[in-house]
Amino acid sequence: MQKFIERKLHISVFRSSIQVREVMDLDFDELYEQEFRKTYQYIRYMVSHAQVAEDLTQDTFVRIYKTDLTKVTNCQTYTRQVARNLVYDYYRKKALIKWLPFTNAPEQQDFGYVPHEWLIQEEDRKQLYEALQKLKPIQREVIIYRKIEELSILETCDIMGLTSTKVANTQRSAMQALQKILGGVIDEA
């Protein structure tokens, strides 16, 4: 009788774990639909290379899929933190590879084929990518979050783990640096 009860309990636990995984899959699908484009754009601005951005975006969502989303309080912030950490890991590996003897030059930027309707916008984007790459990494992140993704200062603070004063000051200095790089007047609102 004891084994029968244990077996029945084991089966019910197994069924409930399957149900929980199905709910998590639905949550993941929704999260993927909501955050994929923003995550890809963030990573693309950070690495300025389309293929690397695609790979890192995929890795971001693979890591998120493997985590228990029921323990995550803010999925948007969590997604951005995972993406941010992967970008930092990418740059660490890239810096290490530069010192290895079998590489002669850093990776070349390849923007690949762009459909005809994007050709006009591509030159402006290329200038923006190049200008963003000249900023310090923290300035680049703040500009991406605040100006491109239009997040609030508090949301940016949550993602980056900085104070609101630090985010505001970094944004101001980054905007000034972009103004010097690109020339002209930049709206700081």
Side-chain angles (χ1 to χ4, degrees):
M1 184 68 169
Q2 180 72 17
K3 286 186 176 187
F4 177 74
I5 293 173
E6 288 177 8
R7 183 178 243 173
K8 193 170 186 175
L9 180 64
H10 179 48
I11 291 171
S12 67
V13 168
F14 179 72
R15 285 183 184 157
S16 65
S17 68
I18 290 174
Q19 290 170 349
V20 167
R21 186 68 217 175
E22 288 173 358
V23 169
M24 286 175 54
D25 287 343
L26 290 175
D27 290 342
F28 175 78
D29 291 342
E30 291 173 14
L31 176 68
Y32 182 84
E33 290 296 322
Q34 293 172 357
E35 296 297 321
F36 176 81
R37 186 164 181 76
K38 293 177 188 175
T39 303
Y40 173 77
Q41 287 175 340
Y42 163 73
I43 293 173
R44 176 67 198 265
Y45 282 120
M46 289 297 290
V47 298
S48 187
H49 191 275
Q51 185 62 41
V52 173
E54 290 173 12
D55 293 343
L56 291 176
T57 303
Q58 178 181 353
D59 291 345
T60 299
F61 285 100
V62 167
R63 283 195 186 180
I64 290 169
Y65 183 76
K66 290 179 179 180
T67 62
D68 184 6
L69 291 178
T70 58
K71 296 177 183 176
V72 176
T73 57
N74 186 339
C75 289
Q76 179 183 9
T77 301
Y78 181 71
T79 302
R80 307 246 171 124
Q81 288 173 338
V82 171
R84 180 178 188 237
N85 290 340
L86 284 172
V87 167
Y88 281 14
D89 290 346
Y90 165 75
Y91 278 119
R92 279 189 208 108
K93 288 176 187 174
K94 189 174 177 181
L96 176 66
I97 289 172
K98 284 182 185 178
W99 292 102
L100 295 176
F102 58 83
T103 58
N104 293 329
E107 293 181 13
Q108 298 295 319
Q109 291 187 1
D110 177 23
F111 291 99
Y113 173 75
V114 180
H116 179 68
E117 61 268 8
W118 292 352
L119 287 177
I120 297 171
Q121 297 173 359
E122 187 64 26
E123 187 61 34
D124 292 338
R125 286 184 185 171
K126 186 176 179 180
Q127 288 177 348
L128 180 60
Y129 289 143
E130 290 171 359
L132 285 172
Q133 293 305 310
K134 293 178 182 176
L135 296 176
K136 296 177 184 176
I138 192 169
Q139 290 177 329
R140 188 180 327 143
E141 271 190 280
V142 169
I143 291 295
I144 291 168
Y145 288 139
R146 294 282 295 132
K147 294 298 182 177
I148 297 172
E149 294 187 9
E150 299 177 345
L151 297 179
S152 70
I153 288 181
L154 292 177
E155 290 171 325
T156 305
C157 292
D158 287 343
I159 294 168
M160 296 182 70
L162 302 173
T163 65
S164 58
T165 305
K166 176 69 174 172
V167 169
N169 288 340
T170 303
Q171 178 182 336
R172 184 179 37 75
S173 64
M175 293 300 288
Q176 290 171 348
L178 271 179
Q179 185 175 6
K180 287 180 184 176
I181 294 168
L182 296 172
V185 178
I186 296 177
D187 179 25
E188 295 209 20

